[in-house]
Amino acid sequence: MSLMQLDRRNFLKSVAMATATAAAHETFAATTNDVSLPQLDPKVTDPPAIDGVVWDKAPCRFCGTGCHVMVGVKNNRVVAVTGDRHAAVNKGLLCVKGYHVGSILYGQGRLTQPLLKTDTGYKAISWEEAIKVIAKRIIKRPKTFAIYGSGQWTIPEGYACQKFIKGGLANNHIDPNARLCMASAVTGFIGTYGVDEPAGCYDDLDAANVIITWGNNPAEMHPVLFSRFIDRRSRGEKVTLIDIGTRRTRTTEQADHYLCFNPHSDLAIANGIMQQLIENDTFDKKFVEQHCNFRYQVDPKKPGLKGAPSTFEAFKKAVAEYTPERVEEISGVPADKIRMLGKLFGRRDIRITSLWCMGMNQHSAGTMINNLVHSVHLLSGHFGRPGDAPTSLTGQPSACGTAREVGTLAHALPGGRLVKLKAHRQHCEDIWNLPRGRMNPKPGYHTVKMWEAFCTPTDQPGGDIDTIWVQVTNPGQTLPNLHKLFDPKANLKDKFLIVSDVYPTATTQLADLILPAALWVEKNGMFGNSERRTQQWFRQVTPPGQARDDCWQVIAVARAMFDMGHEGMRDKDGKFIFETKDDQGSEVPIWEWENYYGKVNVDEALFEEYRKFTRLKHKDLAPYSEYVKAHGLRWPVVQQPDGSWRETGFRFSGFDDPYVGKDASGKPKEFDFYHSTTKDGRAQIWHYPYLDPPEMPDATYPFWLCTGRVLEHWHSGTMTRRVPQLARAVPRAYVEINPDDAKAAGIAQGSPVKIESRRGSIVLPARINGRGQPPRGSIFVPFFDETKLINNVTLDVTCPISKEPDYKKCAVSIMPVSTSKG
């Protein structure tokens, strides 16, 4: 039985059966012909010996789990993929997308040559011409140029973009699409611990007695991690799963408790748990007294990252109103369930791990709900021991490694530095050998503001971005409120959009210059996953046609600008800022890099330079050569007296983190929050009140709309919709509707439904009693389908601190198309 013949429940039970994605040349034909999937023997500990097939490692190209795969190549084509049984992350398992990851290289419509838009369409041009077009445009107006990337950039690609725009152009207009998915997690970690990224790791899933999912659906979004703790039950272990969500999902099916809450009211639930811990006197007094401070927002309607200091007594008074009964009024969650959560967190004999992803991050109070869930763990003492962790999961393969650690955000610099801090800029100037004072202290535009500026006429206030270079993302489908933030570009002739991509997308439809990009194992790369694990791979096949990797594209433009005399592309000694030498010490011209692939490892050179940035915030990375040998390493990675390199699973915990300080006896402290915002080694417990969201259902728009992903597709579907098995499984978008709401509106299964908000409308087929089941008054739509752009409907309101949009709730109406007007 092939994998796609299994239903989801059986898939989780049989996921240990590693499946090859192909065994012949015809498997990945450009026409995306269908194939049956041969199975590998699960007892085999290494990839099988297949005549002519060479195997090598790589991380999966999809989500932030960071599963390792073994890639089989024959005759310069990927012909097989299996889970890497030596990898700690996935232990040989893959999800349905991972089993088919090799197919993404060979989908229909692959871009293979640069294309320049003309009055009559697109014409093919050479790389030399394409590079000159970009270089000349940037030189003419360097301050109005922006780069928009993603957590799909490799670490060296993102680092090259950082150095190019912030070091070379003294321009901070660079942001990743991670602003749309992980920015609130970043500000939540920084506001609580003074530094970004989780303290725990995936090992927590093996030790926790209780797993709480806060508004996420790991059974579909992170199925390998989900199976990691669900499979413990099959071994006789008791693992309690509590699903806190706004609709029933496949995760709910495995849950012991399902707490359905009204959108946005997770704020009240978190406050209610802390109210119970204090009322029952079950909070961890020792942990709080020794390791925590209290903070609050002076004006909750205008919150700031640091807030203001508070006291335990003030905190106790602030949360007192969130009794179980009051939380039930706000959230709809029964008071007894709030008491149940309070009792669980009050127990010292169990370990509790909280997991969240977009439900808490894509939230108009995203920073605040992140802070509150961290605070629940700190107040209860469920922190820093295996199984006790508040853990944010990521949706992209290097949202952590590239967007957050490299700092490809408008306000950030590599290694946790900030553009506004003079000392941080000077450190970058020293490492990059730039003249003192070159770097710009003013943060660039975050994603929403960047695209607002681009979609505003140049001669109007706020229209000061006229060129954007998009790499490894698809904003024409994924930005919120597309009518405002993307569509106006079609009528703005003075705006120039450059898109580097693998396939045609909703974004390339409005592009002025399209550049063909290499994908996954068609290039060298490094990713950083959700548990701080940095992973490396080598190129295993050559890209088609003239496709080139994004790193090369950026450095080629930089070199062209250098040759044109642009001073920003020179360091203070007059040398090219990306000078690259071969193994004999000779500089290699940019146009000859392809001929030197294997001799000139640009990734290694960039990574070794980037490593110098990682020590300030104790995110130490090992030398590149260590990642070549390893299946990823979790930072901080420190060298031992014997010369070996040791990774860290649990940050801030004395038993594992090498940077935890010593006590009076010279032994490591139990905990040490050494980047504390209050400079005293303490984490911050926050109070933030429940406030209504900016848009709520009313008589005209009486339903909540939530958007998200499905198991079979990833993000905008650019890759997964070109994999025939995945495309057949879920061929198009739909709208999930509660059966009672459907009956009341006269909507039948599969019938067309018009969904309308204050911003736009869309028509989708109805899905009733499907894999997800929203409560009455709520609907759900996946966003993978580029033919049905739900982001014409969504809201562009952002969290005031993280600037991350809220895709999870806005007000809409629904009606059968047959009775709708127009």
Side-chain angles (χ1 to χ4, degrees), residues 497-508:
L497 181 60
I498 307 159
V499 180
S500 299
D501 215 321
V502 180
Y503 294 107
T505 66
T507 307
T508 62

Side-chain angles (χ1 to χ4, degrees), residues 277-295:
L277 288 169
I278 293 174
E279 180 175 281
N280 298 336
D281 197 30
T282 53
F283 69 96
D284 192 329
K285 298 180 183 64
K286 179 182 176 182
F287 183 89
V288 171
E289 290 173 359
Q290 293 184 357
H291 305 295
C292 300
N293 292 319
F294 291 88
R295 299 193 79 76

Side-chain angles (χ1 to χ4, degrees), residues 125-358:
I125 62 174
S126 67
W127 269 111
E128 289 87 346
E129 183 177 353
I131 295 302
K132 287 179 181 177
V133 167
I134 301 171
K136 288 179 180 179
R137 189 166 183 94
I138 296 173
I139 288 174
K140 185 177 180 181
R141 292 172 62 88
K143 302 304 180 186
T144 62
F145 169 75
I147 295 177
Y148 186 63
S150 81
Q152 299 166 65
W153 265 327
T154 68
I155 289 171
E157 286 170 350
Y159 180 73
C161 287
Q162 274 279 65
K163 187 175 183 180
F164 170 65
I165 194 165
K166 290 179 180 172
L169 297 181
N171 167 356
N172 295 321
H173 294 317
I174 178 174
D175 219 40
N177 70 1
R179 178 76 68 177
L180 308 180
C181 59
M182 294 311 305
S184 296
V186 174
T187 49
F189 280 114
I190 292 174
T192 304
Y193 311 107
V195 67
D196 183 27
E197 296 197 50
C201 60
Y202 297 162
D203 297 359
D204 288 308
L205 303 178
D206 303 327
N209 307 104
V210 178
I211 306 284
I212 303 176
T213 58
W214 291 79
N216 65 327
N217 177 19
E220 295 197 76
M221 304 307 104
H222 297 90
V224 170
L225 296 182
F226 187 74
S227 69
R228 188 160 174 165
F229 58 84
I230 291 298
D231 285 353
R232 290 171 54 198
R233 292 174 169 175
S234 67
R235 299 193 294 268
E237 296 183 51
K238 179 173 174 54
V239 182
T240 299
L241 175 62
I242 301 172
D243 182 27
I244 305 176
T246 57
R247 72 189 242 275
R248 287 184 172 272
T249 66
R250 294 302 188 191
T251 298
T252 315
E253 293 181 2
Q254 298 290 338
D256 299 276
H257 303 276
Y258 173 55
L259 281 59
C260 184
F261 69 93
N262 298 325
H264 202 75
S265 65
D266 43 5
L267 297 158
I269 294 170
N271 278 313
I273 296 170
M274 293 189 284
Q275 185 272 344
Q276 284 290 285
L277 288 169
I278 293 174
E279 180 175 281
N280 298 336
D281 197 30
T282 53
F283 69 96
D284 192 329
K285 298 180 183 64
K286 179 182 176 182
F287 183 89
V288 171
E289 290 173 359
Q290 293 184 357
H291 305 295
C292 300
N293 292 319
F294 291 88
R295 299 193 79 76
Y296 78 112
Q297 297 289 351
V298 176
D299 184 351
K301 294 182 179 180
K302 297 180 180 180
L305 182 62
K306 293 184 178 180
S310 185
T311 64
F312 172 74
E313 289 303 320
F315 177 83
K316 178 180 178 179
K317 182 177 180 181
V319 299
E321 67 173 287
Y322 294 96
T323 62
E325 287 72 24
R326 175 59 178 148
V327 173
E328 179 176 358
E329 290 176 10
I330 297 170
S331 69
V333 175
D336 286 348
K337 295 292 187 180
I338 303 301
R339 291 189 177 91
M340 178 266 293
L341 289 172
K343 289 178 180 177
L344 283 173
F345 274 102
R347 289 175 59 179
R348 304 272 78 77
D349 61 328
I350 59 173
R351 302 287 173 91
I352 303 176
T353 289
S354 288
L355 299 176
W356 67 91
C357 199
M358 299 306 117

Side-chain angles (χ1 to χ4, degrees), residues 583-811:
D583 51 9
Q584 302 300 314
S586 300
E587 184 176 1
V588 178
I590 185 75
W591 299 107
E592 297 182 21
W593 281 11
E594 192 71 15
N595 299 329
Y596 284 80
Y597 224 104
K599 294 182 180 179
V600 179
N601 190 337
V602 178
D603 270 31
E604 182 173 9
L606 291 170
F607 182 77
E608 289 299 332
E609 183 177 277
Y610 164 59
R611 278 185 65 216
K612 300 174 185 177
F613 288 96
T614 63
R615 300 182 186 99
L616 177 70
K617 296 292 185 179
H618 301 94
K619 300 183 179 185
D620 308 39
L621 298 173
Y624 183 87
S625 59
E626 294 298 315
Y627 296 98
V628 173
K629 296 182 290 186
H631 295 272
L633 296 170
R634 294 173 296 195
W635 57 258
V637 187
V638 295
Q639 193 167 26
Q640 301 300 291
D642 64 1
S644 64
W645 293 84
R646 178 187 178 276
E647 65 174 6
T648 302
F650 300 89
R651 296 170 80 197
F652 314 129
S653 298
F655 73 89
D656 197 35
D657 188 336
Y659 285 111
V660 167
K662 302 291 194 295
D663 61 20
S665 68
K667 296 180 180 179
K669 298 177 182 177
E670 186 177 12
F671 299 102
D672 182 6
F673 298 102
Y674 43 77
H675 284 296
S676 169
T677 56
T678 44
K679 312 298 182 186
D680 56 4
R682 291 171 175 262
Q684 315 303 315
I685 295 176
W686 285 84
H687 170 65
Y688 184 85
Y690 168 80
L691 298 174
D692 286 339
E695 183 172 281
M696 299 179 71
D698 56 21
T700 305
Y701 301 101
F703 285 83
W704 287 108
L705 165 67
C706 178
T707 68
R709 292 201 288 119
V710 295
L711 170 65
E712 295 84 353
H713 290 293
W714 191 74
H715 281 213
S716 61
T718 303
M719 295 178 287
T720 52
R721 292 186 76 227
R722 287 175 168 84
V723 176
Q725 295 88 348
L726 302 179
R728 270 203 317 276
V730 184
R732 61 179 181 173
Y734 51 85
V735 53
E736 292 178 358
I737 303 175
N738 181 277
D740 292 334
D741 287 331
K743 182 178 181 180
I747 295 170
Q749 182 78 271
S751 65
V753 179
K754 182 178 182 180
I755 304 161
E756 186 169 14
S757 73
R758 293 175 175 86
R759 291 155 294 282
S761 63
I762 188 174
V763 175
L764 291 168
R767 179 75 61 88
I768 304 168
N769 289 326
R771 67 176 66 181
Q773 299 178 36
R776 291 212 68 174
S778 179
I779 63 173
F780 172 84
V781 176
F783 73 93
F784 70 86
D785 188 348
E786 69 177 7
T787 70
K788 299 292 184 180
L789 299 179
I790 189 58
N791 283 324
N792 284 324
V793 178
T794 52
L795 187 66
D796 59 334
V797 170
T798 65
C799 167
I801 298 175
S802 70
K803 309 303 181 186
E804 180 169 347
D806 192 332
Y807 291 89
K808 300 304 180 186
K809 52 186 177 292
C810 69

